Amino acid sequence: AYKNTKDEVVIFRPDQNFIRFNVSADRMQMPAVPEWLFMGGMKQLIALEKGWIPSKPECSLYIRPFVIATECGVAAAPSTEYKFMILLSPTGPYYSTPMRIYVEEKYVRAVPGGVGYAKAAGNYGGAMYATAQAKLKGYDQVLWTDAYEHKYVQECGTMNVFFIIGNTAITPNLDEGTILAGVTRNSTMVLLQEMGFKVEERALSIDDIIDAHKAGILYEVFGTGTAATISFIKELRYKDYIMEFNTDEWKTAPAIKTKLNAIRYGQLPDRYEWMYKI
């Protein structure tokens, strides 16, 4: 949630998030949350707690709806009781400086046919060890690869990822259901097209990324996420091959970040109706 130039409280439109929330719940045999409860509760809660919305640049009130099983007992079966809650947290930039990313080739975050597309706690639990190992090597996060060949990149630990190769922006596709369909990811693809880039959602191998780097046409690598917003990646390491980037010279990712912030704060018109007035 943000306060725009008119001192109105706005959030990114929740429509797609609401649909994904309930689809994810269905796959995990959890009850769907009625829209009136989801939206009505969220609006009332933010109205009650709007004093916590930060006014500093690049800060916001992070909104996290979630459902947890509450039935008493232990069984390998869906619960018969659940509690729906919404957490709020004032937050600043998730990553305040450009990141160093380690390409993971042993451990797996998600597999096709699972729930890697969902904001489920298990998806993060399985990522803890690999992330800790990457941090011991001096890296901030891991870039996951596919479960079968460990060849095709998927997403970073807390964000989707984009590669600017020549005049094309490439981001992994959602076809296998192993990565999150981020709202910031969608907005970024629209803005990249506005800037004249060809945008591709497709499988991208680490070998192709390295070839592009060696050829001098891998210009930028950055992450997108609700909390991460637009996060610059200054180093990408695969095995012993290190790709370094001078983020101070970048044009694309900074322009997207500036434009998204301007739309959030009401400094630019919301042409795509991404914002929702609370």
Side-chain angles (χ1 to χ4, degrees):
Y2 305 85
K3 288 183 180 178
N4 64 19
T5 51
K6 299 178 182 178
D7 201 34
E8 298 171 336
V9 175
V10 295
I11 62 172
F12 272 118
R13 288 197 67 85
D15 308 65
Q16 291 179 318
N17 274 342
F18 173 75
I19 294 170
R20 292 176 191 141
F21 187 91
N22 281 339
V23 168
S24 301
D26 181 63
R27 284 284 297 275
M28 290 181 285
Q29 292 298 284
M30 301 168 73
V33 179
E35 185 172 359
W36 66 266
L37 177 62
F38 188 103
M39 294 301 300
M42 182 177 65
K43 290 176 68 174
Q44 289 189 43
L45 179 61
I46 296 173
L48 180 67
E49 304 288 2
K50 65 181 180 180
W52 287 100
I53 300 175
S55 57
K56 293 182 179 180
E58 298 191 45
C59 295
S60 63
L61 184 67
Y62 188 71
I63 305 167
R64 171 52 56 205
F66 76 105
V67 173
I68 188 171
T70 55
E71 180 184 8
C72 293
V74 179
S79 175
T80 60
E81 297 178 5
Y82 294 86
K83 180 174 287 187
F84 171 60
M85 292 172 277
I86 301 175
L87 301 182
L88 303 179
S89 176
T91 181
Y94 204 75
Y95 298 109
S96 57
T97 58
M99 304 173 64
R100 302 176 71 222
I101 301 294
Y102 187 87
V103 180
E104 180 56 53
E105 56 173 326
K106 178 180 179 181
Y107 301 105
V108 177
R109 175 189 172 273
V111 298
V115 293
Y117 66 90
K119 202 80 172 176
N123 290 334
Y124 295 88
M128 296 298 173
Y129 183 77
T131 304
Q133 293 303 301
K135 289 185 176 180
L136 289 176
K137 297 181 177 75
Y139 290 85
D140 300 294
Q141 272 289 347
V142 299
L143 173 57
W144 297 103
T145 51
D146 69 288
Y148 298 136
E149 299 179 77
H150 288 295
K151 177 180 178 181
Y152 296 96
V153 297
Q154 297 198 326
E155 67 175 38
C156 291
T158 53
M159 57 192 182
N160 298 116
V161 65
F162 283 81
F163 299 84
I164 305 297
I165 300 177
N167 65 346
T168 303
I170 305 171
T171 191
N173 58 34
L174 309 176
D175 297 349
E176 292 187 333
T178 55
I179 65 176
L180 294 171
V183 171
T184 310
R185 173 184 181 272
N186 293 344
S187 302
T188 297
M189 288 192 289
V190 171
L191 296 184
L192 283 165
Q193 289 174 328
E194 279 189 356
M195 295 168 68
F197 284 94
K198 179 182 178 183
V199 177
E200 296 180 353
E201 296 179 79
R202 64 173 175 83
L204 179 63
S205 74
I206 187 63
D207 294 330
D208 289 339
I209 293 169
I210 290 173
D211 288 344
H213 181 261
K214 289 179 177 178
I217 57 172
L218 177 59
Y219 297 128
E220 299 183 25
V221 184
F222 59 92
T224 64
T226 308
T229 60
I230 305 297
S231 297
F232 304 165
I233 295 174
K234 68 177 182 179
E235 182 181 322
L236 192 64
R237 176 180 172 180
Y238 176 66
K239 296 184 177 179
D240 292 328
Y241 188 80
I242 297 176
M243 293 164 269
E244 295 181 321
F245 307 93
N246 185 353
T247 58
D248 292 335
E249 296 178 353
W250 284 7
K251 304 295 183 185
T252 305
I256 293 170
K257 184 173 184 177
T258 297
K259 193 163 188 177
L260 277 176
N261 283 335
I263 294 170
R264 288 182 180 120
Y265 295 119
Q267 298 160 349
L268 283 177
D270 179 18
R271 293 172 43 223
Y272 296 101
E273 297 184 345
W274 286 338
M275 308 307 294
Y276 181 88
K277 182 179 176 182
I278 297 293

